[in-house]
Amino acid sequence: ITRALLEYTCGRAESGLEHGRRSLEIAEKLDNEASRMAAYAALGLANLVEGQPAAARDAFRESATSARDRRVGRGLLPLVLAGLAEAHLALGEPFEAVATAREGIDVGSAGGCLYNEALAQLALAAALLATDGVGPRAEIESALERAEHLVASIEGRALSPRILELRGRLAAAVGDAPSSDRTFREALDLYRAIGATGHAERLAGARRMM
């Protein structure tokens, strides 16, 4: 799961799918539910990076089922639900994404999983932006503020450029072009500074198309 999370954070695919499949093979041989749950989570993250949201959704669902029904890997469940929300969003299912992200926030907050709750908060902000970026503005801002607080409390700098990117998207949605441009530039610079080259390339490409 650590390798898959690193690739997801950097936004570049290397060998996450291979390692995820191998992890699942080992978990099946061991018949270990906790290992199986983590392996499916890794496969979900790897498929997101590979641009395969349907496969990611299936893997995250398997992982979430293990966590919910068999009571294993509960600390990872907010991460899994955040990833599942992202997969729903990529598949054009924003309302499912919102509901899943909210569940991830509830689980992460109750369990004290600060980094994983922050992931779910960002997933919620992204999903709400896709449904109606202006209507739920207060909830989006609240999610981003909570994520920013969590990131600061654990020094989770890897999530900082994602927060900036979503702030830029919100500013664009409400028609504040100067603020949006400035925030996108800050996000791009920070992605590059932390070595998240895949996300930097993605954001740069998206800005060129605006």
Side-chain angles (χ1 to χ4, degrees):
I1 184 70
T2 302
R3 187 184 188 95
L5 185 56
L6 177 61
E7 291 188 15
Y8 171 78
T9 302
C10 293
R12 62 171 184 265
E14 292 181 355
S15 54
L17 280 177
E18 177 186 344
H19 282 272
R21 289 170 182 149
R22 179 60 180 152
S23 296
L24 184 57
E25 289 174 6
I26 294 170
E28 296 292 0
K29 287 179 181 178
L30 294 173
D31 194 24
N32 184 287
E33 199 62 40
S35 296
R36 189 178 290 117
M37 183 269 181
Y40 273 119
L43 277 174
L45 289 170
N47 276 294
L48 280 181
V49 177
E50 292 279 357
Q52 302 293 332
R57 181 182 58 186
D58 292 345
F60 283 131
R61 281 175 170 169
E62 291 287 348
S63 184
T65 295
S66 291
R68 291 193 191 104
D69 297 351
R70 301 174 184 91
R71 308 295 296 180
V72 299
R74 295 286 292 181
L76 279 178
L77 184 54
L79 178 152
V80 169
L81 293 170
L84 179 56
E86 188 173 337
H88 278 307
L89 194 56
L91 290 166
E93 301 164 352
F95 297 104
E96 291 87 343
V98 168
T100 303
R102 285 179 173 150
E103 182 185 356
I105 290 167
D106 290 343
V107 175
S109 178
C113 306
L114 304 187
Y115 188 90
N116 293 342
E117 184 199 337
L119 284 172
Q121 294 283 0
L122 295 179
L124 176 61
L128 289 170
L129 276 164
T131 57
D132 182 354
V134 179
R137 179 176 179 179
E139 188 174 6
I140 295 169
E141 290 177 340
S142 177
L144 294 175
E145 287 171 5
R146 173 62 177 169
E148 199 163 42
H149 169 75
L150 292 167
V151 164
S153 69
I154 58 174
E155 297 185 1
R157 190 165 177 248
L159 295 181
S160 296
R162 291 186 60 187
I163 294 171
L164 286 167
E165 181 180 350
L166 287 166
R167 288 195 184 282
R169 288 174 56 188
L170 178 59
V174 300
D176 187 351
S179 178
S180 177
D181 288 344
R182 181 178 66 255
T183 308
F184 277 141
R185 285 196 301 271
E186 291 174 0
L188 186 56
D189 289 344
L190 192 49
Y191 274 134
R192 289 168 174 159
I194 67 171
T197 54
H199 289 302
E201 292 168 4
R202 172 187 56 76
L203 182 56
R207 290 192 68 208
R208 284 194 294 271
M209 295 176 64
M210 287 181 179

